């Protein structure tokens, strides 16, 4: 089922406010730390391939102990991973993982950047990775990131010397970083970038190494470390009340969809970085050796440094307002420095500090969390000065370039609220994640040059608060938000978005027709504004029929939905294609669906995607009716099996009993169930007994790491990291006479056409003779892998272990995957 609105209430390790969407309200300690960072003019860029690759310990250390401006460049958004907390995969998973990265950066103090590379799944070699990604374009983005961020130091997470021995994306990220190190200062390299940025040469490049690079701690202890720097990333921060590694653990725990929630750690802990290229360290253990990171670095900076160091050295924690006159003087000087790069960075930093020292609360909240083009939205403006410093609100400006003069004297703790309205332009494009706005390729997102590298779509609708503080004009910009409350949660925030006036969603990603019988398909139409009138019809493939041809749409209230039913009539023979609802309102036709992603640890996400689902007329037969499904880390296999006519009941561990199991023709165990559900260890014998008494048990892939059961199978079975990542890799049928390849569907090599992302993963490498190996497959240049599908007769029933990626193939409507799974469920039933 296409369940995309997720409400998950998670118990998290928290640092400060759990609500990821509420505005930041700095304490005096945080203001002081911001001033410390204001006085450090040095930058570090950390480079890796995916969300959760980053070493939050080192990012937190560089940001909070060294005080350097620190960013993580993740080449991808992690679209090819798996989701342990919900159904979102591919593009929607990339949206989630992007926001989890930003949540981590809010904690460890770093910034976040990306390239246009699409995480297409596991890759065994960087050559394959760079061919699919388009090396020239991703290298362009890495060079651009360096030229824009201008790091003094680059630190690679992975080793460029390990091609073919680890994830190809990982090695590729290091190779690209190595190459971009010099190219960023080459005027002939990607010269078109230089109209919007300037050349830059980082001083040094490092590799963040560790004992795992050498196989064991003992091996690492023996190597020559003369080319390495070690730092204690367990340093304690009294102002925060936590150690750096505690902070890093909390940041890393934001990667919840990848199962990174973890205990915090504290105490001395060494981290190693290996010098690779650039200016020699000359025996120093300081990554910034020989680099002036003070205000003296820039012309005119000495006076600024004197002012700001005086504030830092004499900071008043009980009354930060005391420092406003000096901060305003420094702000005026910073706004005049010639170095455009540092001027922009430090102007933004000091404005935030001035705002915090004045205790300013500035907010523009809309009456709804979305609007449509041409709509007028009412705003509630709240302005509050919580200091003795006189502040004048001269005016506010909106995104329409409309300036509204106020001339309100903001006296200490006197709140001012007033209403304003903004009109959304009729030609305004919706505010969906920018990298999803255009159709890309398997390896690359299609993005306009102005947006490359940005972590998320810039907020289009903002309010500028034009202030006069001690005769100094200063403008503070706030994005429009939606603030509301719920009785069971309290105050909540959502970003303000622009959506289409109407969207339409199909309730399933794929519709499987096991025969030529018609099916009713539900379309849910949602109004982005009030009083939507129009019609909806369906686009469908040749050979299929849809009834009725068109239906009326009439929705009175904004946010309400209307459900309509179309009858889909498949052809007689096997066929597949796409269906798309097309909603016509006036002279416009809309073909997008609105997807909302709602988890506590990340801001509410609104995504507009093409509204389309696959329809598949299958040539499929099956035996048995009732399936018990034990959920694992999250997949849509139960819904997919229902599509082909099975009655599927989801079994909780506590429901597994000998009596209950008798109800089912087969039991299917979800992906990574043995990695995530500890109580299954106490239910395994019941399941094995069920098989012995004539049942079928199908176990989908697990990893050997953190396995929570003593026995995976009734016979010996050893998991490995073997996988076949090429979804087009040839498949050899080994046991051609085995029932699983012949009944009730004849399986041939053609059933492995059209697979997506991979063949399978984490295949067993060893198994007892009771198992029969059914298939052989391998990636180019590798030995055959024969553990993808293993079948064992156990008593009167069958135990099946499979690493084939059915959890990816079912949502993609791969017909051969359905036929093979039906055979697995039908084992032993050819006499029925």
């Amino acid at each position: 089922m296409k369940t995309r609105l997720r409400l998950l209430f998670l118990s998290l390790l928290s640092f400060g406010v759990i609500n990821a969407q509420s505005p930041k309200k700095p304490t005096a300690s945080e203001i002081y730390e911001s001033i410390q960072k204001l006085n450090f003019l040095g930058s570090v860029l950390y480079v890796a391939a995916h969300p959760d690759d980053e070493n939050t310990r080192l990012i937190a250390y560089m940001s909070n102990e060294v005080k350097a401006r620190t960013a993580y460049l993740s080449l991808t958004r992690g679209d090819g991973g798996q989701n342990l907390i919900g159904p979102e995969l591919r593009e929607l998973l990339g949206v989630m993982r992007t926001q989890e990265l930003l949540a981590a950066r809010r904690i460890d103090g770093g910034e976040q950047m990306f390239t246009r590379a699409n995480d297409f799944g596991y890759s065994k070699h960087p050559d394959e990775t760079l061919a699919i990604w388009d090396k020239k374009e991703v290298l362009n983005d890495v060079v651009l990131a360096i030229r824009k961020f201008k790091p003094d130091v680059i630190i690679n997470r992975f080793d460029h010397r390990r091609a073919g021995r680890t994830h190809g994306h990982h090695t590729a990220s290091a190779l690209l970083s190595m190459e971009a190190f010099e190219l960023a200062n080459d005027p002939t390299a990607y010269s078109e970038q230089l109209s919007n940025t300037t050349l830059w040469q980082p001083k040094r490049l490092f590799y963040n190494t560790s004992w795992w690079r050498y196989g064991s701690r003992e091996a690492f202890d023996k190597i020559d470390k003369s080319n390495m720097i070690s730092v204690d990333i367990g340093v304690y921060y009294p102002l925060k009340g936590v150690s750096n590694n505690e902070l890093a653990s909390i940041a890393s725990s934001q990667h919840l969809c990848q199962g990174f929630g973890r205990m915090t750690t504290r105490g001395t802990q060494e981290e190693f970085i290996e010098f690779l290229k650039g200016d020699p360290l000359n025996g120093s253990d300081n990554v910034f050796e020989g680099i002036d990171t003070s205000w003296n670095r820039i012309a005119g900076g000495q006076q600024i440094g004197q002012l700001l160091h005086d504030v830092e050295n004499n900071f008043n924690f009980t009354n930060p307002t005391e420092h406003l006159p000096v901060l305003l003087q420094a702000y005026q000087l910073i706004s005049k420095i010639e170095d455009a790069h540092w001027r922009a960075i430090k102007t933004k930093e000091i404005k935030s500090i001035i705002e915090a020292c004045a205790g300013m609360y500035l907010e523009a909240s809309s009456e709804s969390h979305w609007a449509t083009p041409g709509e007028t939205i009412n705003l509630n403006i709240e302005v509050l000065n919580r200091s003795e410093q006189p502040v004048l609100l001269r005016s506010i400006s909106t995104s329409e370039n409309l300036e509204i003069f106020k001339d309100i004297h903001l006296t200490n703790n006197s709140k001012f609220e007033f209403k304003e309205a903004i009109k959304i332009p009729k030609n305004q494009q919706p505010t969906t994640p920018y990298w999803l706005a255009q159709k890309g390729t398997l390896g690359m997102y299609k993005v306009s040059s102005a947006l490359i590298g940005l972590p998320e779509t810039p907020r289009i609708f903002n309010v500028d608060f034009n202030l006069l503080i001690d005769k100094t004009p200063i403008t503070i910009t706030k994005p429009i938000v939606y603030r509301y409350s719920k009785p069971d949660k309290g105050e909540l925030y959502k970003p303000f978005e622009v959506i289409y006036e109407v969207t339409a969603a199909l309730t399933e990603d794929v519709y499987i027709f096991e025969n030529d019988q018609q099916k009713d398909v539900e379309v849910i139409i949602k109004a982005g504004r009030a009083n939507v009138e129009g019609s909806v019809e369906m686009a469908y493939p040749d050979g299929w029929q849809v009834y009725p041809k068109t239906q009326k749409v009439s929705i009175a209230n904004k946010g309400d939905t209307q459900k309509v039913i179309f009858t889909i009539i498949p052809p007689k023979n096997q066929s597949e294609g796409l269906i798309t609802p097309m909603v016509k309102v006036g002279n416009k036709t809309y073909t997008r669906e609105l997807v909302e992603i709602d988890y506590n640890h990340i801001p509410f996400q609104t995504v507009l995607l093409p509204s389309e689902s696959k329809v598949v007329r299958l040539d499929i037969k099956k035996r048995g009716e009732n399936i018990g499904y034990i959920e694992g880390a999250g997949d849509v296999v139960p819904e997919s099996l229902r599509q082909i006519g099975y009655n599927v009941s989801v079994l909780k561990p506590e429901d597994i009993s000998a009596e209950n199991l008798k109800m089912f023709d087969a039991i299917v165990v979800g992906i990574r169930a043995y990695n995530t559900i500890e109580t299954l260890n106490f239910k395994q014998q019941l399941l094995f007994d069920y098989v012995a008494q004539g049942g079928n048990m199908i176990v989908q892939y697990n990893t050997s790491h953190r396995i929570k059961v003593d026995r995976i199978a009734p016979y010996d079975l050893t998991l490995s990291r073997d996988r076949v990542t090429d979804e087009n890799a040839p498949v050899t049928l080994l046991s051609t006479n085995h029932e699983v390849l012949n009944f009730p569907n004849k399986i041939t090599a053609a059933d492995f056409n059209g697979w997506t992302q991979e063949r399978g993963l984490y295949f067993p490498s060893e198994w007892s003779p009771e198992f029969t190996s059914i298939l052989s497959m391998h990636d180019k240049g590798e030995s055959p892998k024969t553990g993808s599908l293993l079948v064992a007769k156990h008593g009167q029933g069958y135990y099946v272990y499979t690493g084939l990626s059915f959890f990816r193939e079912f949502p993609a409507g791969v017909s051969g995957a359905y036929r093979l799974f039906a055979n697995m469920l039908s084992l032993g039933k050819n006499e029925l």
Side-chain angles (χ1 to χ4, degrees), residues 83-97:
N83 187 353
L84 297 187
I85 63 174
E88 295 85 0
L89 291 173
R90 292 302 308 155
E91 293 90 349
L92 295 178
L93 180 60
V95 173
M96 283 182 64
R97 298 188 73 183

Side-chain angles (χ1 to χ4, degrees), residues 574 618-620 727 729 731 733 740-742 745-756 759 775 804 806 809 813-821 823:
Q574 187 158 313
L618 267 183
D619 177 14
I620 189 171
E727 63 268 36
V731 177
L733 310 183
V740 79
L741 294 179
N742 293 280
N745 305 288
K746 178 68 175 177
I747 302 299
T748 69
D751 286 293
F752 294 92
N753 294 338
W755 283 52
T756 182
R759 289 295 190 197
L775 306 171
L804 294 171
F806 291 103
E809 312 317 317
V814 178
S815 58
Y818 280 91
R819 286 163 45 83
L820 178 56
F821 209 94
N823 280 16

Side-chain angles (χ1 to χ4, degrees), residues 28 50 77 80 113 195 288 295 304 314 399 417 439 471 480 495 529 531 539 550 592 604 654 658 720 730 820:
H50 311 105
R77 296 177 185 270
M113 305 173 73
S195 60
F288 289 100
W295 277 101
I304 299 169
N314 299 283
S399 302
E417 288 186 287
K439 187 175 179 61
K471 300 180 181 179
I480 294 174
R529 62 169 176 81
N531 302 316
T550 186
R592 295 264 170 169
F604 188 92
E654 57 268 27
S720 74
L820 178 56

Side-chain angles (χ1 to χ4, degrees), residues 370-475:
W370 77 63
T372 57
E375 188 176 354
T376 296
I377 292 295
N378 295 318
L379 301 178
N380 181 65
I381 309 293
E382 182 178 343
V383 184
L384 179 61
N385 167 25
R386 290 171 289 193
S387 73
E388 295 294 343
Q389 174 68 52
V391 178
L392 176 69
L393 175 63
R394 302 173 69 186
S395 63
I396 62 171
S397 306
T398 68
S399 302
E400 302 170 282
N401 296 318
L402 174 65
E403 186 169 13
I404 304 167
F405 290 95
K406 294 295 181 181
D407 286 329
I408 299 174
H409 290 277
L410 305 177
T411 56
N412 184 21
N413 216 28
S414 295
K415 182 173 72 172
F416 290 87
E417 288 186 287
F418 44 89
K419 305 287 186 182
E420 298 294 346
I422 61 167
K423 185 176 178 62
I424 309 299
K426 290 185 177 180
N427 61 350
Q428 179 63 54
Q429 292 299 305
T431 51
T432 194
Y434 71 84
W435 61 95
L436 299 179
Q438 302 180 68
K439 187 175 179 61
T441 65
L442 173 64
M444 297 292 293
Y445 282 117
K446 189 174 182 180
V447 174
S448 67
S449 58
L451 296 172
I452 293 173
L454 296 180
E456 56 184 341
T457 304
R459 293 288 107 189
I460 297 172
F461 293 96
N462 304 286
V463 170
D464 292 335
F465 293 85
N466 303 308
L467 308 171
L468 196 65
I469 307 176
D470 195 19
K471 300 180 181 179
T472 300
I474 185 168
T475 296

Side-chain angles (χ1 to χ4, degrees), residues 225-416:
K225 299 182 179 63
S226 59
N227 204 35
M228 297 182 187
I229 294 175
S230 70
V231 295
D232 179 6
I233 50 82
V235 61
Y236 176 64
Y237 301 130
L239 290 172
K240 297 180 184 294
V242 295
S243 300
N244 184 80
N245 36 10
E246 288 181 277
L247 187 71
S249 298
I250 299 167
S252 181
S253 287
Q254 303 310 301
H255 296 296
L256 291 176
C257 72
Q258 301 302 295
F260 268 54
R262 59 189 61 187
M263 300 284 283
T264 57
T265 58
R266 56 202 61 80
T268 295
Q269 188 177 354
E270 276 192 304
E271 193 75 44
F272 292 87
I273 53 175
E274 177 188 354
F275 174 75
L276 296 179
K277 63 167 66 175
D279 292 356
L281 285 164
N282 298 320
S284 173
D285 60 358
N286 178 12
V287 297
F288 289 100
E289 170 64 24
I291 303 170
D292 190 348
T293 57
S294 73
W295 277 101
N296 295 332
R297 178 174 191 158
I298 59 176
Q302 185 175 11
Q303 184 182 359
I304 299 169
Q306 290 172 346
L307 290 170
L308 294 176
H309 279 291
D310 182 66
V311 174
E312 180 182 342
N313 294 333
N314 299 283
F315 187 73
N316 188 334
F317 284 87
T318 61
N319 184 25
T321 305
E322 170 188 306
H323 304 293
L324 278 175
V326 176
L327 290 170
L328 290 166
Q329 184 181 352
Y331 166 73
Q332 291 174 326
L333 292 172
I334 290 171
S335 66
K336 296 174 183 177
I337 60 178
E338 294 182 7
D339 188 316
H341 174 71
W342 284 113
R343 182 176 68 241
I345 293 168
K346 295 304 177 182
T347 296
K348 181 180 178 182
E349 289 180 10
I350 197 169
K351 282 171 67 172
S352 294
I353 292 170
I354 290 170
E355 178 188 359
C357 285
M360 297 298 301
Y361 188 87
L362 307 169
E363 183 178 270
S365 177
S366 65
E367 61 187 353
S368 170
H369 79 277
W370 77 63
T372 57
E375 188 176 354
T376 296
I377 292 295
N378 295 318
L379 301 178
N380 181 65
I381 309 293
E382 182 178 343
V383 184
L384 179 61
N385 167 25
R386 290 171 289 193
S387 73
E388 295 294 343
Q389 174 68 52
V391 178
L392 176 69
L393 175 63
R394 302 173 69 186
S395 63
I396 62 171
S397 306
T398 68
S399 302
E400 302 170 282
N401 296 318
L402 174 65
E403 186 169 13
I404 304 167
F405 290 95
K406 294 295 181 181
D407 286 329
I408 299 174
H409 290 277
L410 305 177
T411 56
N412 184 21
N413 216 28
S414 295
K415 182 173 72 172
F416 290 87

Side-chain angles (χ1 to χ4, degrees), residues 63-308:
S63 178
N64 295 280
E65 174 65 13
V66 179
K67 307 301 181 187
R69 182 177 178 234
T70 307
Y72 173 40
L73 175 62
S74 177
L75 268 58
T76 76
R77 296 177 185 270
D79 322 68
Q82 285 129 50
N83 187 353
L84 297 187
I85 63 174
E88 295 85 0
L89 291 173
R90 292 302 308 155
E91 293 90 349
L92 295 178
L93 180 60
V95 173
M96 283 182 64
R97 298 188 73 183
T98 294
Q99 291 300 321
E100 288 185 337
L101 273 176
L102 290 171
R105 298 295 80 79
R106 284 191 289 270
I107 291 169
D108 63 31
E111 300 176 33
Q112 187 60 52
M113 305 173 73
F114 292 95
T115 74
R116 289 169 291 167
N118 189 346
D119 178 6
F120 56 84
Y122 191 86
S123 171
K124 293 181 177 177
H125 200 281
D127 289 349
E128 176 197 31
T129 298
L130 294 172
I132 295 175
W133 275 355
D134 188 336
K135 177 186 174 182
K136 180 181 176 182
E137 293 306 308
V138 183
L139 183 58
N140 169 89
D141 297 358
V142 179
V143 169
L144 181 62
I146 294 171
R147 286 173 173 173
K148 284 188 170 183
F149 190 75
K150 302 192 184 310
D152 299 302
V153 173
I154 298 176
I155 303 175
N156 290 345
R157 180 54 169 148
F158 299 107
D159 191 347
H160 64 287
R161 298 159 293 197
R162 291 179 60 79
R165 287 179 284 177
T166 184
H167 197 323
H169 296 185
H170 293 168
T171 310
S173 71
L175 289 167
L176 291 169
S177 177
M178 290 284 289
E179 192 170 347
F181 184 81
E182 282 90 10
L183 288 180
N185 201 38
D186 182 351
T188 66
Y190 301 106
S191 56
E192 67 279 1
Q193 295 178 1
L194 299 177
S195 60
N196 295 309
T197 187
T198 57
L199 298 173
W200 183 252
Q201 181 57 64
K203 298 296 183 186
R204 296 186 182 94
L205 177 63
F206 295 90
Y207 159 49
N208 182 194
T209 189
S210 178
W211 66 264
W212 45 258
R213 160 66 174 81
Y214 297 88
S216 69
R217 295 183 187 276
E218 293 74 19
F220 184 63
D221 289 341
K222 296 175 183 178
I223 68 167
D224 178 10
K225 299 182 179 63
S226 59
N227 204 35
M228 297 182 187
I229 294 175
S230 70
V231 295
D232 179 6
I233 50 82
V235 61
Y236 176 64
Y237 301 130
L239 290 172
K240 297 180 184 294
V242 295
S243 300
N244 184 80
N245 36 10
E246 288 181 277
L247 187 71
S249 298
I250 299 167
S252 181
S253 287
Q254 303 310 301
H255 296 296
L256 291 176
C257 72
Q258 301 302 295
F260 268 54
R262 59 189 61 187
M263 300 284 283
T264 57
T265 58
R266 56 202 61 80
T268 295
Q269 188 177 354
E270 276 192 304
E271 193 75 44
F272 292 87
I273 53 175
E274 177 188 354
F275 174 75
L276 296 179
K277 63 167 66 175
D279 292 356
L281 285 164
N282 298 320
S284 173
D285 60 358
N286 178 12
V287 297
F288 289 100
E289 170 64 24
I291 303 170
D292 190 348
T293 57
S294 73
W295 277 101
N296 295 332
R297 178 174 191 158
I298 59 176
Q302 185 175 11
Q303 184 182 359
I304 299 169
Q306 290 172 346
L307 290 170
L308 294 176

